[in-house]
Amino acid sequence: MLIHTAEPQEFFSPLDMKNERWLELALFPDRRHYMPGEPTFEELVGERDRMFAANPKTRYVGAHANWYGNNLARGAKQFDTLPNVVWDVSAVLYDFGRQPKAAREFFIKYQDRLLFGKDAYAASEFPSYWRVFETSDEYFDYYRDYHAFWKLYGINLPDEVLKKMYYQNALRVFPGLRRRAGRDRT
């Protein structure tokens, strides 16, 4: 079951110069979630994580790394305590690419729990994903400047990890994919 809960944590913080996503929030006011009466980021992810824990026989795919890409220690704790959770890594490339050493270690350690995903098919965006995941390139721009003002770095994942993330984990998590493909790709 794919679960999309919340938005980036910064969307729940006031729109000011301390908020690293201020430009996006200024351009897209409907993404602001810090108004009175709205649930907080912690309330939303807390409810979601308690649901994951209460249903250990259900496999959950957390969209956008469950919005923990900016806090891999918290992501590791989630993986260590909730074996029924996997992540798709869509739309949070900017978080992995700004912490290349920690992200590489995390991806290697949790290689069986990660799925490649994208919010939408946009061929022009794929090279940025490949550059972060597959190279050791340094100090390059993210493809959307209103998402990230910081530079990205490649995390140079081993081929074994890339194969799992790009397709092998999906074949395991969604067994029906094998039948549709008509053959076992390894």
Side-chain angles (χ1 to χ4, degrees), residues 37-54:
E38 288 203 39
T40 67
F41 179 80
E42 290 303 324
E43 288 171 336
L44 291 170
V45 299
E47 288 178 12
R48 178 203 60 208
D49 291 352
R50 287 187 296 278
M51 180 189 68
F52 291 166

Side-chain angles (χ1 to χ4, degrees), residues 69 71-73 75-77 79-80 87 95-114 132-133 135 153-158 160-162 165:
N71 187 340
L72 293 176
K77 182 178 178 185
F79 278 160
D80 292 343
W87 287 358
D95 279 328
F96 303 133
R98 71 169 155 182
Q99 52 184 333
K101 292 177 183 175
R104 185 174 199 279
E105 290 174 13
F106 183 90
F107 274 65
I108 290 171
K109 181 173 182 179
Y110 298 105
Q111 61 188 278
D112 295 323
R113 311 282 293 277
L114 303 168
V132 168
F133 292 140
T135 76
Y153 299 81
I155 64 176
N156 194 28
L157 293 172
E160 174 184 299
V161 175
L162 292 167
M165 182 181 60

Side-chain angles (χ1 to χ4, degrees), residues 86-87 89 107-117 157-174 177 185-186:
V86 298
W87 287 358
V89 297
F107 274 65
I108 290 171
K109 181 173 182 179
Y110 298 105
Q111 61 188 278
D112 295 323
R113 311 282 293 277
L114 303 168
L115 303 169
F116 180 76
L157 293 172
D159 285 345
E160 174 184 299
V161 175
L162 292 167
K163 287 177 185 178
K164 286 181 178 183
M165 182 181 60
Y166 285 152
Y167 71 94
Q168 289 175 344
N169 290 342
L171 293 174
R172 180 179 43 78
V173 171
F174 305 107
L177 291 176
R185 298 180 197 191
T186 54

Side-chain angles (χ1 to χ4, degrees), residues 54-68:
N55 297 283
K57 293 183 180 180
T58 302
R59 167 79 68 186
Y60 293 101
V61 178
H64 313 305
N66 276 331
W67 300 115
Y68 291 161

